[in-house]
């Protein structure tokens, strides 16, 4: 990760914690986990009560918000912060996907009788199948 979260590009204003690649990765990972947990809880809450409209609005708003955040992040890193934005985002996504794979490999055999973990396992297989399908569509 070559990004330094400082508002000034001069070395005198750099804080060592915000330039540490592990801190940047940790902050991004915690943000992803909190966002995913919030989404799971809200989905369960709304769909359990058959309230599909708030769920659809939430999905739409978060999708637009993520696109706006990525555009803002790429522009902000190039204009204000130091480092390479696209490499950082791709590396964080790849590392977190590998953490998800490791979690899935543990959960599938250990918690095979738990319905929630079975649903997670099915969702993960569906996600991987979808990603492989899109990748093949892009390549071919």
């Amino acid at each position: 990760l070559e990004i330094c979260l400082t508002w000034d590009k001069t070395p005198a204003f750099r804080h060592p914690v915000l330039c540490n690649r592990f801190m940047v990765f940790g902050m991004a990972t915690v943000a992803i986990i909190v966002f995913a947990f919030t989404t799971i809880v809200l989905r369960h809450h709304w769909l359990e009560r058959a309230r599909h409209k708030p769920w659809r609005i939430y999905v739409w708003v978060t999708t637009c918000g993520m696109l706006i955040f990525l555009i803002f992040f790429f522009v902000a890193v190039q204009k204000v912060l130091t480092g390479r934005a696209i490499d950082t985002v791709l590396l964080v996504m790849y590392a977190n996907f590998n953490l998800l794979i490791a979690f899935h490999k543990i959960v599938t055999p250990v918690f095979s009788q738990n319905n929630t973990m079975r649903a997670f396992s099915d969702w993960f297989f569906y996600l991987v199948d979808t990603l492989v399908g899109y990748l093949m569509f892009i390549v071919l």
Side-chain angles (χ1 to χ4, degrees):
L1 297 173
E2 293 187 23
I3 189 167
C4 188
L5 298 175
T6 59
W7 294 108
D8 194 354
K9 293 185 180 185
T10 58
F13 292 106
R14 290 187 178 175
H15 195 278
V17 172
L18 297 177
C19 291
N20 185 351
R21 67 182 70 191
F22 299 112
M23 284 300 293
V24 172
F25 175 73
M27 289 187 297
T29 302
V30 167
I32 290 170
I33 290 171
V34 167
F35 176 72
F37 180 74
T38 305
T39 301
I40 290 168
V41 167
L42 286 174
R43 179 181 187 275
H44 179 72
H45 173 73
W46 282 327
L47 296 183
E48 186 179 67
R49 289 161 180 78
R51 298 184 68 200
H52 296 278
K53 188 173 182 178
W55 170 245
R56 287 194 309 265
I57 292 170
Y58 176 78
V59 168
W60 186 82
V61 168
T62 55
T63 303
C64 291
M66 290 299 268
L67 289 174
I68 291 169
F69 170 76
L70 285 175
I71 292 169
F72 174 74
F73 181 75
F74 292 149
V75 170
V77 167
Q78 299 302 322
K79 297 285 183 185
V80 178
L81 305 175
T82 60
R84 295 185 305 215
I86 295 175
D87 295 346
T88 302
V89 168
L90 290 177
L91 192 58
V92 166
M93 288 173 52
Y94 176 73
N96 282 309
F97 189 70
N98 282 329
L99 289 173
L100 186 64
I101 290 172
F103 180 70
H104 179 263
K105 286 187 179 270
I106 293 170
V107 163
T108 302
V110 173
F111 298 109
S112 62
Q113 300 302 315
N114 188 339
N115 288 335
T116 304
M117 293 301 146
R118 283 176 139 181
F120 167 75
S121 180
D122 292 342
W123 168 83
F124 184 79
F125 284 128
Y126 175 75
L127 174 71
V128 170
D129 287 344
T130 304
L131 290 175
V132 168
Y134 279 121
L135 184 65
M136 290 180 66
F137 177 72
I138 291 169
V139 170
L140 297 176

